[in-house]
Amino acid sequence: MTRVAAVDCGTNSIRLLIADINTNVDTQLNTGETGQPTPRLTDVVREMRVVRLGQGVDSTGELAQEALERTFAATRDYADLIRRHGVDKVRFVATSATRDARNRQVFVDGIRAILGVEPEVITGDEEAALSFAGASSVLPSRGEDPVLVVDLGGGSTEFVLGNADGVIAARSVDVGCVRMTERHLRSDPPTPEQIAAAEADVDAAISEAAQTVPLERATAVVGVAGSVTTITAHALGLPEYSPAAIHGTELDLDAVRKACTELLEMTREERAALPYMHPGRVDVIGAGGLVWRRVLQRLAEVTAGRITTAVTSEHDILDGIALSIR
């Protein structure tokens, strides 16, 4: 048993998972269809803070000082939790916003000083592989049938096609809920012209991803990360945000697209009043809905109607980071 801490620092949020990795084959391993043991995670702590590290990065190319300060403050709190829970190993991963920033070294130096570990600014391909590992670790195996995992983040979206043997193809593209909000959806609610401009960006990004990832081979789609889980909460009409109710939910594409459209067309005040809405997602969930709606529409088209539902996973890159720690 090893106690690990995984930190996922994205464009919108920074998240911490402290978990025990059990590698006892006799009791805790799921060997699956490949016969290879898969470590199981037992959660100790899961934390999420919306720090909006990617504030303005799309337009300025730099991490804003106030965004850095919010992120460092959250990391200090996480460092305290890591010490208190006797963690053996830590891995800190930063994704889209940090990849894009010219002044990322300020971020790297600050995190190193707080945590005592070197933060890794990973590539889009690495992000995609970790997302697939996290999502697939807790979902039923479909054997050789390819499954598409879509990680819809704040600054980027990862498309990963894989099966029980691992990743077949992956691509990260620069569309996400924060980036699309800052670039296009500035009105409250957004205008038809703004929505059309954002959709054009998203459609181009999906086409870019499709050059690497054969979307038409997918037999199922799994969505991960906060935008997708919040959209699912809306589609279910939950009285509060409940990971247990959301995880593993499979919904008709029409129901998901309807939820996406409703969130996109609401005012900020209307979204803030929803009982399952995290305050840090209120201003960007409309763009998240727009991206997810366009992705699902494209999948329905390229698979000739074979994919009619979407699955939501509460487990994602954060779990993949924890599982990768050795």
Side-chain angles (χ1 to χ4, degrees):
M1 186 90 74
T2 303
R3 179 159 291 185
V4 301
V7 182
D8 165 36
C9 188
T11 300
N12 197 44
S13 65
I14 182 170
R15 299 181 300 153
L16 168 70
L17 170 61
I18 297 175
D20 292 327
I21 298 183
N22 195 319
T23 54
N24 183 327
V25 176
D26 293 332
T27 61
Q28 292 294 323
L29 289 185
N30 172 19
T31 58
E33 297 184 17
T34 64
Q36 297 300 313
T38 303
R40 292 278 184 88
L41 293 175
T42 302
D43 288 12
V44 178
V45 172
R46 275 187 191 261
E47 291 272 336
M48 190 271 284
R49 308 279 181 87
V50 173
V51 294
R52 195 64 58 81
L53 178 62
Q55 172 191 331
V57 169
D58 187 61
S59 58
T60 68
E62 292 193 348
L63 299 168
Q65 185 59 41
E66 59 267 33
L68 285 166
E69 289 171 0
R70 292 192 298 267
T71 306
F72 292 157
T75 304
R76 291 187 192 96
D77 291 342
Y78 288 175
D80 289 340
L81 286 169
I82 288 168
R83 284 191 291 269
R84 266 190 285 160
H85 287 280
V87 168
D88 301 308
K89 297 178 180 179
V90 179
R91 186 179 184 192
F92 187 110
V93 164
T95 55
S96 179
T98 316
R99 279 199 299 268
D100 293 349
R102 289 188 298 268
N103 61 339
R104 71 178 67 88
Q105 194 59 45
V106 177
F107 168 84
V108 169
D109 293 343
I111 296 298
R112 187 194 308 112
I114 294 167
L115 272 184
V117 299
E118 189 74 13
E120 302 171 51
V121 183
I122 62 173
T123 66
D125 286 347
E126 290 172 312
E127 183 176 359
L130 288 170
S131 294
F132 184 82
S136 62
S137 70
V138 292
L139 293 171
S141 173
R142 296 176 64 93
E144 294 183 359
D145 292 340
V147 175
L148 182 72
V149 172
V150 181
D151 184 345
L152 202 173
S156 65
T157 296
E158 283 66 50
F159 294 78
V160 199
L161 190 72
N163 57 21
D165 294 326
V167 173
I168 297 169
R171 185 72 174 264
S172 177
V173 291
D174 285 339
V175 292
C177 61
V178 174
R179 195 184 296 270
M180 290 299 97
T181 299
E182 291 186 350
R183 187 180 294 179
H184 296 295
L185 307 184
R186 298 192 178 98
S187 298
D188 180 25
T191 66
E193 293 77 16
Q194 291 170 352
I195 291 172
E199 287 181 333
D201 266 9
V202 173
D203 289 347
I206 298 171
S207 295
E208 179 186 338
Q211 294 175 14
T212 304
V213 182
L215 302 179
E216 69 280 359
R217 290 184 56 192
T219 60
V221 59
V222 179
V224 303
S227 284
V228 174
T229 59
T230 302
I231 292 163
T232 302
H234 182 69
L236 293 172
L238 297 182
E240 61 183 4
Y241 190 91
S242 169
I246 293 167
H247 180 65
T249 293
E250 185 171 4
L251 294 171
D252 288 344
L253 294 189
D254 287 344
V256 180
R257 290 195 293 249
K258 179 175 181 288
C260 291
T261 299
E262 289 173 352
L263 290 168
L264 175 60
E265 294 179 350
M266 284 180 182
T267 65
R268 192 183 193 286
E269 184 178 8
E270 288 170 335
R271 293 194 299 267
L274 298 172
Y276 39 78
M277 185 66 63
H278 189 286
R281 296 202 189 282
V282 170
D283 59 331
V284 297
I285 190 60
L290 182 148
V291 175
W292 193 218
R293 185 176 70 178
R294 298 307 293 175
V295 169
L296 295 180
Q297 180 64 36
R298 180 69 68 90
L299 282 175
E301 293 170 358
V302 300
T303 62
R306 183 175 62 250
I307 291 182
T308 59
T309 63
V311 177
T312 300
S313 175
E314 280 279 348
H315 297 265
D316 52 27
I317 186 174
L318 189 60
D319 301 73
I321 295 167
L323 288 166
S324 73
I325 299 173
R326 295 290 183 265

